[in-house]
Amino acid sequence: MSGIERSTNYDMERYQYLSEYDSALPDDLPVIPEAQSDWIKQCKANDYSLSFALSDEITPIEVAKTFRVLGGYTDKNKDKWLKLQNTFARAWLLGVWRVEETGEIVKLEVEK
């Protein structure tokens, strides 16, 4: 192989690798309960906002239980409460997460 052929071959392999790398899922996917996964899918399908999805008054019972598992927000459980909400919000924003109970990876496709 001449230098030009090797260079072209290297560039094509590099391009293919970078394309695959860009489309790969992150290693640190948020892990959320199945009820939260279903709730995100329902809210996204109806074009609801993140603040609506996090509101205790309107979430389904299963999701509300998940958020209330800590007994609601108190100074004592502030860190755990925020982590629970932050993980939900990360899953919402990324559009991809792992379901805690099943290990299933859910990736919401952007509608065109």
Side-chain angles (χ1 to χ4, degrees):
M1 254 190 205
S2 72
I4 293 174
E5 289 172 338
R6 279 186 294 216
S7 176
T8 303
N9 190 31
Y10 170 78
D11 287 343
M12 287 185 349
E13 287 175 5
R14 184 172 181 268
Y15 175 77
Q16 181 181 3
Y17 169 78
L18 291 175
S19 295
E20 291 172 2
Y21 183 82
D22 287 342
S23 64
L25 296 172
D27 292 334
D28 61 342
L29 287 176
V31 179
I32 59 175
E34 191 168 13
Q36 288 185 359
S37 176
D38 294 342
W39 180 237
I40 289 176
K41 288 187 247 179
Q42 183 180 345
C43 287
K44 291 270 191 171
N46 291 311
D47 287 328
Y48 296 151
S49 69
L50 176 57
S51 62
F52 178 89
L54 286 171
S55 173
D56 279 346
E57 290 78 38
I58 44 75
T59 55
I61 292 171
E62 299 85 21
V63 178
K65 283 181 187 174
T66 302
F67 282 117
R68 291 188 185 109
V69 73
L70 301 170
Y73 179 85
T74 65
D75 286 339
K76 182 178 177 183
N77 62 23
K78 178 181 175 184
D79 291 338
K80 290 180 184 177
W81 179 260
L82 291 175
K83 184 177 188 293
L84 189 66
Q85 289 183 324
N86 288 343
T87 303
F88 180 90
R90 258 186 85 232
W92 176 281
L93 293 173
L94 289 173
V96 62
W97 58 87
R98 189 163 52 87
V99 178
E100 187 174 44
E101 295 86 348
T102 64
E104 172 192 13
I105 294 181
V106 177
K107 183 174 184 180
L108 297 180
E109 299 296 326
V110 177
E111 291 187 24
K112 297 177 182 177

